[in-house]
Amino acid sequence: MNATPPRRPRSASHRLNTGRSRIREGRPFPLGATWDGLGVNFALYSANATRVELCLFDERGREQERISLPEYTDEVWHGYLPDARPGQLYGYRVHGPYEPHAGHRFNPNKLLLDPYAKQLVGELKWAPQLFGYIIGHKDKDLSFDRRDSAAYMPKCAVVDPAFTWGEDRRPQIPWNETVIYEAHVRGLSMRHPDVPEAMRGTFSGLKTDALVEHIRSLGVTAVELMPVHAFVDDQYLLDQGLRNYWGYNTLAFFAPHPRYMATRSINEFKQMVARLHHAGLEVILDVVYNHTAEGNELGPTLSFKGIDNSSYYRLAPERRYYINDTGTGNTFDLTNAGALRMVNDSLRYWLAQMHVDGFRFDLATILGREHHGFDPSGGFLDAVRQDALMSQAKLIAEPWDIGPGGYQVGGFPPGWAEWNDKFRDNTRAFWRGDEGQLAELATRLTGSADLFNHRGRRPNASINFVTAHDGFTLRDLVSYEHKHNQANGEGNRDGGDHNISCNYGAEGDTDDAVINDLRLRQQRNFLATLFFSQGTPMLLAGDEFSRSQQGNNNAYCQDNDLTWLDWDAAQRPEARELTDFVRKLAALRRHYPLLHRKRFFDGKFDQELGIKDVTWLAPEGHEMRDADWHNPQARALMMRMDGRAPASGLREAASNTTLLMLVNADPEEIQFALPEVQGEHWRVLLDTSERHGQSVVPGGGQWLAVGRSLALLALEKDAETAVAAVAASTGSPAPVI
C-alpha cells in the first residue's frame, strides 16, 4: 500500500500563523539557516519534494508558525525571514509522495531536523509518532502515520557564528612528529577531581587546566575526540538503562552533541579548541558520515529520510529497502551530489568555523565506494583531495566496513593516513609469544611499507595502535583471555572474539605479584613498540595509567564508571610509574629523529659510507638470514638504525645517531651479542624490564635480555661520554663500568 497524503497534516495547524507576508525569496545558498545581521536565510536541499514548510517554535518548544518556503532553485528550497534572530528554534515539514517502493518517504506530519543545523535544543523522546508509518500495522512501513511528531523532536536553533578567536593559531604539527591521544569528551572529565562538577563531561570540562596539562605532559600532540556530532540514544538501550556512549549514531553533522555542552552556546566548543591549541595540541574529530541515526525502512523519520530519502541513502534495487554496508540499517549515498555536498560542507564548517585540525573517518571505505565498488579516485576522495581547505587537514581513515571489498588498508589515496590493524594484530601476537611473527614485526616496526610505500606516501600514513576505544584497554589486553560484556545486556554475544590477548595465569584482577609484574612489563613492551615504530602512534586515553574496563571489549553503551577515566586510580604508585614511562617514551621519540623518520628505511648498503640505514641482527650478532626469518620459534632480534645513512639520497637528512633496539618476546632470558664498534659504547636509553644494572655496554659486549622485554640503546663516541649522558638523563651518579 502506497499512501500519498492529500492535504496538510492533521495537527494544530489551524491555530498557527501560516501567512506568507513576511517571507522573502532569499537565496539557495548557503544551505541551512544563515544569520546575516538583519535576518535569517533558510535553504534546504530536496530534489523530490513538492513543498517545504518552515516551522517556527517558541523557547518552550511550542509550534508558533508554519511558512512555506517560496522559492525552489537548483533543487534547493529557500526563503528569507527579515525578523528572525539567533536563538530562533525551527524545523521543517516536507511534502511529497509517500511511495516506499519508489524510495520516497515524505510525511509532512513529521517534524524534520535541518541537515545543516548548527545547534540542537532538547532531546529526542522515543514515541510511535516519530515513525513515518504505523507501528504494528499489517503493511508495516507501507502504511502512513498522520500523527504529529514535533513534541518528541529536538529543535534546530539559529546561531550567531561570531566568535573572537584572538591569537588562536593551529599548531600545524608535522605528520612525522604527530602522536595521537584518542579520548572521549565525557569520559575524560566525569571523574576528574579538579574539574568543577557542573563542567564534567562537557567541552568546558575538557579545557580545564589540570586536564589539559595532563594530556600535554604525556608528549602527545593531538587529541582525537570520539564523535561529538549530535547523536541519538537508541531506544533499546534506554529501555535497559543504558546509553549510546560512543556516539556512532549521528543525527546532525554540524551540531555539537547537546549533552557535551555546559552552556547554551556552541562557542563553548570553540573555547575548548582555542585552549587546546594554546597548549600546542591539535584537535581531531572522529566523524561518522557513513550512516545516520534513522536506521532502515523500519526506523524513525527524523531528518534525511523525510527530506529526500532516495537522494541521501543508498537504496537496494527494490527501492523500499536500504543497502546496509554499515551494519546499522542504512548507508549514506555519497554518489549523490546533494549528499556529497552536505558532507563536504560539514567538514569545511568544522575546519573553518570551529578550527579543528583534522578528522578520523569511521568506516571510511564507504566514503570511497562508488556503484562499482571502492575507488581511491571516487567522488568524495577526489573532492577532498582537490579542496584547498580539506586537503591541508589531517585525514585519517578507518579503512574497512562490512560491504563488498570492504577491507582497504593501504588502499586510500595520497594525503590520507589509515588505521593499521595489521600493526595492532602483529604486535599483540608477537608479544604474546605466538609463532611465526618475527618477520612481520620487522615490517611493522619500519612503517608497514608493504601497505603504504606507494604513490609518494610516507610512513606516517600508518596510524599505529595497540588498543583503541573498540576492544580491550591495554591493561585488559594482558589481564583477560575472553571478553566479559555481560553488562551490555546482550548475553555476552556482542564484541569481537579475536582479541589476541593473554591473562598470564589468571582471568582478571589478581593478587599474584609475579603475574602482576609480568602484566606491567607487557604493557611497557606494547607501549615501547608503539612509540618506537615508524608511523604515527595512537595512544588510548587511560592506557597511560593502566585503566581497566573489567574485560568489556565493546563498552559502547556504558556511560558510567566502567568507561569514565578513574583519576583516583591514576594516582596509584604503579599507575604513576607507567604514566612517567609513557612520558619517557614520547621524549625519546621526539629527541631522536630516527624514531620518526619522514621516509621509509630501504635497508640498502651505502657503498660510500659502508653502512645501511637499517640492519637486522640475530641475537648471536650476525645479520638475519632466511632461515632466521622463517624460523617459527624465533622471537628475538636486534634492529640497528644508523642515522649516518642518507634518507633517499638526501644528505641533509642524515645525522650521527645510531640506535639499537632489542626485542625479546620469548618467556626466557636471551643473551644478545651487541654490534662491535671500535672505541664506542652503547648507552641504555630504556629497558622495559626496568632492572637496575647495566647502563653502558661496550661495543661487542653482551646484553642479557629478560624474558619478554625490549631495550633501546644509543651509540656513544666513548665510555666517558656514555656515562655522562646516562648520569645527565637519570639525575643519578655515573655508574662504574
Side-chain angles (χ1 to χ4, degrees):
M1 167 183 167
N2 291 340
T4 301
R7 57 186 179 277
R8 184 185 302 277
R10 296 175 183 173
S11 65
S13 61
H14 63 281
R15 296 193 297 271
L16 302 175
N17 179 357
T18 57
R20 294 168 53 94
S21 59
R22 294 183 299 115
I23 193 74
R24 298 179 184 174
E25 176 180 339
R27 298 184 299 172
F29 59 87
L31 290 166
T34 305
W35 161 247
D36 64 6
L38 298 175
V40 178
N41 191 81
F42 294 89
L44 180 73
Y45 163 78
S46 180
N48 295 293
T50 58
R51 182 158 63 97
V52 173
E53 288 181 302
L54 170 67
C55 304
L56 305 180
F57 296 83
D58 65 15
E59 291 183 354
R60 298 179 61 184
R62 296 176 299 188
E63 191 169 358
Q64 298 295 297
E65 191 171 7
R66 294 185 191 173
I67 305 171
S68 292
L69 295 183
E71 291 295 331
Y72 182 58
T73 305
D74 295 334
E75 299 182 331
V76 174
W77 300 81
H78 55 96
Y80 181 85
L81 280 182
D83 55 350
R85 296 289 183 268
Q88 174 67 61
L89 303 184
Y90 73 99
Y92 289 110
R93 299 182 187 274
V94 181
H95 297 253
Y98 189 85
E99 298 173 355
H101 283 305
H104 300 309
R105 295 180 178 272
F106 295 99
N107 186 338
N109 299 282
K110 311 304 170 184
L111 184 74
L112 306 174
L113 297 178
D114 181 359
Y116 282 70
K118 308 300 190 301
Q119 184 174 357
L120 299 187
V121 175
E123 291 190 357
L124 184 78
K125 301 174 184 177
W126 285 103
Q129 287 87 340
L130 294 173
F131 295 77
Y133 65 96
I134 301 171
I135 294 179
H137 194 281
K138 63 182 180 64
D139 292 321
K140 297 183 179 179
D141 62 302
L142 299 182
S143 62
F144 186 81
D145 189 288
R146 297 182 181 277
R147 290 173 292 181
D148 192 346
S149 68
Y152 308 94
M153 287 287 292
K155 309 302 184 292
C156 309
V158 177
V159 303
D160 183 349
F163 180 76
T164 302
W165 283 98
E167 298 181 356
D168 180 63
R169 296 290 183 273
R170 299 180 188 275
Q172 294 185 316
I173 307 296
W175 258 119
N176 69 306
E177 299 175 14
T178 297
V179 179
I180 297 171
Y181 187 72
E182 189 197 27
H184 190 286
V185 169
R186 189 165 168 82
L188 275 175
S189 62
M190 282 300 293
R191 302 177 68 181
H192 200 293
D194 294 328
V195 176
E197 188 169 349
M199 296 167 58
R200 293 180 182 177
T202 68
F203 301 123
S204 292
L206 179 49
K207 68 182 178 68
T208 54
D209 290 344
L211 197 47
V212 173
E213 177 55 30
H214 170 80
I215 296 171
R216 188 202 62 78
S217 74
L218 294 175
V220 301
T221 67
V223 179
E224 180 178 306
L225 297 176
M226 291 175 65
V228 302
H229 292 170
F231 59 86
V232 170
D233 289 311
D234 305 273
Q235 185 173 13
Y236 77 90
L237 292 177
L238 296 175
D239 291 343
Q240 300 179 74
L242 303 172
R243 307 194 81 152
N244 182 349
Y245 176 65
W246 285 355
Y248 293 94
N249 204 18
T250 307
L251 182 63
F253 293 100
F254 291 74
H257 189 53
R259 198 183 308 152
Y260 297 165
M261 296 172 62
T263 67
R264 295 183 178 182
S265 172
I266 63 171
N267 286 346
E268 180 181 343
F269 180 91
K270 299 177 182 180
Q271 292 165 356
M272 176 199 72
V273 171
R275 177 66 182 90
L276 291 172
H277 280 178
H278 182 70
L281 296 166
E282 294 182 313
V283 179
I284 297 172
L285 299 186
D286 193 340
V287 290
V288 189
Y289 294 108
N290 56 76
H291 75 281
T292 78
E294 293 186 298
N296 62 13
E297 69 277 2
L298 299 179
T301 298
L302 309 174
S303 182
F304 306 95
K305 185 178 291 184
I307 292 171
D308 198 346
N309 184 67
S310 66
S311 292
Y312 279 113
Y313 294 116
R314 293 190 56 152
L315 302 180
E318 213 287 63
R319 306 280 288 171
R320 175 183 175 185
Y321 303 107
Y322 295 77
I323 290 175
N324 185 19
D325 290 340
T326 64
T328 62
N330 66 58
T331 304
F332 219 61
D333 186 4
L334 294 191
T335 66
N336 174 273
L340 176 61
R341 175 171 54 186
M342 193 281 294
V343 171
N344 287 343
D345 285 349
S346 172
L347 294 171
R348 279 188 285 263
Y349 173 77
W350 288 96
L351 289 169
Q353 298 297 320
M354 308 298 259
H355 282 210
V356 305
D357 303 280
F359 306 95
R360 178 265 187 189
F361 293 83
D362 180 63
L363 301 183
T365 300
I366 286 172
L367 307 181
R369 182 175 283 118
E370 300 292 304
H371 292 298
H372 59 274
F374 178 80
D375 186 347
S377 295
F380 171 75
L381 297 177
D382 275 354
V384 169
R385 191 176 183 188
Q386 62 79 40
D387 186 272
L389 186 60
M390 291 189 288
S391 62
Q392 299 306 307
K394 284 189 165 71
L395 304 172
I396 303 170
E398 182 186 37
W400 50 74
D401 65 21
I402 64 171
Y407 188 77
Q408 291 293 332
V409 176
F412 276 72
W416 285 77
E418 305 173 35
W419 273 27
N420 186 354
D421 65 328
K422 291 186 180 295
F423 178 94
R424 175 198 64 196
D425 292 352
N426 173 248
T427 302
R428 290 184 177 192
F430 175 77
W431 284 113
R432 189 172 67 173
D434 292 9
E435 294 183 355
Q437 299 296 318
L438 197 64
E440 184 177 350
L441 178 73
T443 301
R444 304 298 157 234
L445 290 173
T446 51
S448 297
D450 60 328
L451 301 171
F452 301 106
N453 191 11
H454 58 92
R455 302 183 69 183
R457 301 181 77 183
R458 301 291 176 85
N460 55 251
S462 176
I463 302 296
N464 298 331
F465 65 103
V466 177
T467 58
H469 69 272
D470 189 0
F472 282 146
T473 65
L474 186 61
R475 178 175 175 175
D476 289 354
L477 183 66
V478 298
S479 303
Y480 295 90
E481 292 191 359
H482 308 285
K483 65 187 181 185
H484 295 268
N485 299 352
Q486 289 83 359
N488 296 352
E490 300 181 42
N492 205 35
R493 294 182 299 273
D494 63 303
D497 294 312
H498 184 61
N499 297 296
I500 320 179
S501 61
C502 185
N503 64 24
Y504 300 100
E507 187 76 353
D509 290 342
T510 179
D511 293 328
D512 190 309
V514 174
I515 293 176
N516 286 330
D517 285 346
L518 176 56
R519 287 176 175 178
L520 279 170
R521 186 161 74 252
Q522 285 290 65
Q523 290 179 70
R524 292 192 291 268
N525 288 333
F526 282 124
L527 290 166
T529 305
L530 177 67
F531 276 83
F532 294 163
S533 294
Q534 302 300 312
T536 304
M538 184 181 78
L539 176 69
L540 175 64
D543 278 354
E544 71 270 24
F545 53 77
S546 191
R547 79 176 182 102
S548 173
Q549 292 179 169
Q550 280 78 63
N552 192 320
N553 73 350
N554 189 36
Y556 75 102
C557 56
Q558 300 295 328
D559 187 4
N560 49 48
D561 286 351
L562 185 69
T563 53
W564 301 340
L565 300 196
D566 186 349
W567 293 100
D568 289 335
Q571 301 308 310
R572 297 172 303 173
E574 65 271 22
R576 293 171 67 93
E577 289 173 6
L578 190 62
T579 301
D580 288 340
F581 181 78
V582 170
R583 292 175 177 138
K584 183 174 184 178
L585 293 175
L588 287 170
R589 179 182 176 88
R590 185 169 56 250
H591 181 74
Y592 290 102
L594 276 174
L595 297 176
H596 57 265
R597 284 167 50 106
K598 293 181 179 180
R599 292 172 174 82
F600 289 99
F601 288 107
D602 59 26
K604 295 179 181 179
F605 186 78
D606 186 288
Q607 295 288 347
E608 181 180 342
L609 296 175
I611 57 175
K612 297 179 181 179
D613 58 5
V614 63
T615 305
W616 302 100
L617 304 169
E620 297 79 11
H622 62 261
E623 283 202 49
M624 292 284 288
R625 311 177 182 118
D626 285 346
D628 298 317
W629 287 119
H630 292 99
N631 178 4
Q633 303 301 322
R635 296 182 175 91
L637 85 167
M638 292 182 282
M639 176 186 180
R640 175 172 175 161
M641 297 165 275
D642 199 320
R644 295 173 298 168
S648 301
L650 299 179
R651 295 286 177 182
E652 66 272 16
S655 69
N656 292 322
T657 304
T658 295
L659 297 177
L660 184 68
M661 183 159 55
L662 302 88
V663 294
N664 175 25
D666 195 285
E668 304 300 325
E669 293 181 336
I670 290 182
Q671 189 88 0
F672 284 87
L674 303 190
E676 184 171 359
V677 185
Q678 188 68 32
E680 295 184 305
H681 287 67
W682 294 102
R683 173 164 62 101
V684 181
L685 302 175
L686 179 135
D687 178 6
T688 61
S689 71
E690 296 198 333
R691 58 183 171 172
H692 299 289
Q694 288 175 293
S695 296
V696 177
V697 184
Q702 300 292 312
W703 173 267
L704 182 63
V706 171
R708 296 191 177 102
S709 68
L710 179 152
L712 183 69
L713 288 63
L715 193 63
E716 301 288 357
K717 289 293 184 184
D718 49 53
E720 288 73 18
T721 301
V723 170
V726 170
S729 64
T730 62
S732 59
V736 177
I737 301 177

